[in-house]
Amino acid sequence: MTAEVQSEPAIPETVRDDFPALAQKINGHPLVYFDNAATTQKPRAVLEAVAKYYEHDNANVHRGIHELSNRATAAYEDARDRVARFLNTPAREDIIFTRGTTEAINLVAATWGAANLSEGDIILLTEMEHHSNLVPWQLLAQRTGARLEFIPVTGDDGLLDLTDLEARLGRAKLLSLAHISNALGTINPVADLCARARAAGVTTCIDAAQSAGHLPLDVQTLGCDFLALSGHKLCGPTGIGVLYARRELQDAMPPYQGGGEMIAKVALETSEYHPPPHKFEAGTPNIAGAVGMSAALDYLDELGRENICVHDTDLANYARDQLESFEGIRIFGPEEERGGLVSFVLKDVHALDLATMADQQGVAIRIGHHCTQPLHDRLGVPATARASFYFYNTRAEVGRFIEVLQNVVQLLR
Ligand SMILES: Cc1ncc(COP(=O)(O)O)c(C=O)c1O
């Protein structure tokens, strides 16, 4: 007889102890936090790094010759090195700090877009984009006369319909799309799409808001020209994010905003700018945010991004399997190649009632269009319920969520 070998979980449950916010009760019940696609909780290592920065090193960057300013500058620039390692960029200068994914994409649209697109040029997006990867391009199209085209979504299985891709790429100047859909969980084949876009001479921009903290990411393997991410979705603070921009493109891009930090020399009528990336970082940056995000990246790499991916996928598959037993459920997104979230609607159960009653029992999920209104229009639903997981969530929590859902369904039907 052979003894059954229990494999080690990819992420030990003890990681929960690192997250003070997870240890609380909500409405008398232990918190089950399943709103990680909106923002993640923060480990002590991040909270302490931010506190330490303010307690010991706080000053403005790149300006002073005093000790604290030197320390603040070093901390901020070290964070740039850390992000460059995290994404394996060819150079540290490829990293531009922004407020988040939204600002990063707006930066690309306002600078690269304004310099490179004109009347009739085509910006290729997909039907599953977050409003952050849609509205900036709409604004650019209105200003320049460029046009938007969309790669369709197949249906409830949430895949991209790539049948006409070569023809679409043949017309386009830019392809911008999400790596992982925040509404469907679809993991798009971005490396392949970037290679095909490059072959067609199309510039690429990847919205990595939902992927950067969930799977290994290497911009050189992906082969993209731009990539955007948010610190708060990978255990870092809010108000800090990153735009990776390929160096050759940065050189030809005009500044984003004007002000201090980005200038080399200013006269009354004209200015000379610093070289990238400082050219794109006007004003006092979010120094503490960069420090906190850097600590978050250390934390994630310590856990191992492959392990995080295995854990998240396991929870999403487990939740999906359990949800399938509900009568009248419609689950969105692919069965394979999906990230750590599940979106669904339940017949005769209003999403708002569902989320409110779940909250009463300590379970935090999100309902609505998740900033993907055109996708929801395409699927013919005004709102979905979304449970989104991270490495500190457990199968037991999924079990609790299912139990709560059963109670809600019983009460409402
Ligand atoms: C796919 C995707 N893109 C962009 C964003 C915008 O991120 P932020 O609000 O941090 O700028 C989000 C946020 O939910 C997202 O999920």
Side-chain angles (χ1 to χ4, degrees):
M1 229 171 78
T2 49
E4 199 180 313
V5 181
Q6 283 284 325
S7 60
E8 287 291 314
I11 305 281
E13 211 171 294
T14 47
V15 293
R16 293 179 67 81
D17 301 340
D18 295 339
F19 291 80
L22 294 178
Q24 61 187 303
K25 289 195 166 171
I26 300 290
N27 298 318
H29 300 275
L31 166 65
V32 173
Y33 185 77
F34 281 173
D35 197 15
N36 294 288
T39 198
T40 61
Q41 297 301 338
K42 320 301 172 200
R44 246 183 221 100
V46 169
L47 306 176
E48 284 167 3
V50 172
K52 180 173 167 284
Y53 167 75
Y54 278 126
E55 284 169 9
H56 297 278
D57 306 326
N58 177 51
N60 214 325
V61 289
H62 303 138
R63 289 181 191 170
I65 42 164
H66 59 80
E67 171 66 16
L68 290 194
S69 180
N70 290 339
R71 276 196 234 156
T73 305
Y76 183 64
E77 292 302 329
D78 284 353
R80 196 185 308 276
D81 289 330
R82 185 65 189 88
V83 177
R85 282 206 310 283
F86 189 77
L87 295 177
N88 192 31
T89 62
R92 67 186 305 282
E93 291 79 12
D94 301 343
I95 298 301
I96 300 165
F97 284 120
T98 64
R99 282 191 294 135
T101 304
T102 303
E103 188 175 52
I105 296 173
N106 274 279
L107 194 160
V108 179
T111 61
W112 181 89
N116 289 281
L117 297 184
S118 52
E119 176 106 38
D121 284 340
I122 289 176
I123 301 166
L124 185 56
L125 308 172
T126 84
E127 283 180 345
M128 66 170 78
E129 297 313 311
H130 189 281
H131 298 163
S132 296
N133 193 29
L134 174 58
V135 183
W137 305 116
Q138 291 175 347
L139 293 170
L140 179 69
Q142 284 158 17
R143 279 199 302 274
T144 59
R147 287 190 295 118
L148 306 181
E149 262 198 36
F150 298 91
I151 300 174
V153 168
T154 45
D156 287 9
D157 57 355
L159 296 168
L160 291 179
D161 178 354
L162 299 173
T163 13
D164 290 329
L165 184 70
E166 301 309 331
R168 290 185 204 281
L169 286 173
R171 293 191 288 274
K173 277 238 172 147
L174 174 83
L175 168 65
S176 188
L177 83 160
H179 190 177
I180 299 185
S181 158
N182 66 306
L184 300 161
T186 316
I187 303 180
N188 288 316
V190 282
D192 179 51
L193 294 178
C194 286
R196 290 164 75 176
R198 198 168 48 248
V202 176
T203 301
T204 49
C205 177
I206 301 300
D207 172 353
Q210 295 296 338
S211 62
H214 293 264
L215 43 77
L217 208 55
D218 176 331
V219 291
Q220 298 191 55
T221 310
L222 283 188
C224 55
D225 294 305
F226 298 104
L227 181 137
L229 63 85
S230 298
H232 71 97
K233 292 187 195 283
L234 42 72
C235 289
T238 50
I240 185 77
V242 169
L243 173 67
Y244 157 74
R246 209 157 55 74
R247 188 62 197 267
E248 302 86 274
L249 296 177
Q250 283 195 43
D251 286 336
M253 281 153 56
Y256 176 45
Q257 296 177 328
E261 303 282 343
M262 51 79 76
I263 40 77
K265 190 161 178 254
V266 178
L268 282 178
E269 302 288 343
T270 54
S271 299
E272 288 168 26
Y273 313 121
H274 277 313
H278 300 292
K279 177 167 122 184
F280 302 106
E281 294 180 1
T284 301
N286 183 353
I287 310 161
V291 167
M293 179 165 64
S294 176
L297 302 185
D298 286 345
Y299 186 89
L300 295 187
D301 276 343
E302 182 77 18
L303 289 178
R305 280 180 272 168
E306 293 85 0
N307 293 335
I308 293 172
C309 184
V310 168
H311 182 90
D312 291 355
T313 310
D314 173 67
L315 287 188
N317 289 341
Y318 183 60
R320 199 187 157 103
D321 286 351
Q322 305 279 311
L323 284 170
E324 264 163 8
S325 64
F326 282 77
E327 202 194 310
I329 196 160
R330 192 172 156 200
I331 302 177
F332 301 94
E335 285 189 32
E336 310 271 315
E337 288 299 299
R338 58 179 302 112
L341 63 89
V342 188
S343 297
F344 59 94
V345 289
L346 269 167
K347 195 165 168 282
D348 300 332
V349 177
H350 196 284
L352 183 59
D353 294 334
L354 171 61
T356 309
M357 291 170 77
D359 181 56
Q360 281 162 4
Q361 300 183 58
V363 178
I365 59 164
R366 182 156 292 243
I367 51 130
H369 52 60
H370 318 296
C371 294
T372 55
Q373 226 169 339
L375 174 69
H376 280 69
D377 289 346
R378 159 79 182 83
L379 297 171
V381 285
T384 51
R386 179 185 74 188
S388 55
F389 313 109
Y390 211 14
F391 57 81
Y392 41 66
N393 293 126
T394 64
R395 276 187 169 223
E397 287 185 307
V398 175
R400 169 88 187 117
F401 163 62
I402 296 294
E403 202 180 280
V404 164
L405 220 54
Q406 280 161 346
N407 295 343
V408 172
V409 169
Q410 241 170 27
L411 278 168
L412 293 179
R413 276 191 185 151

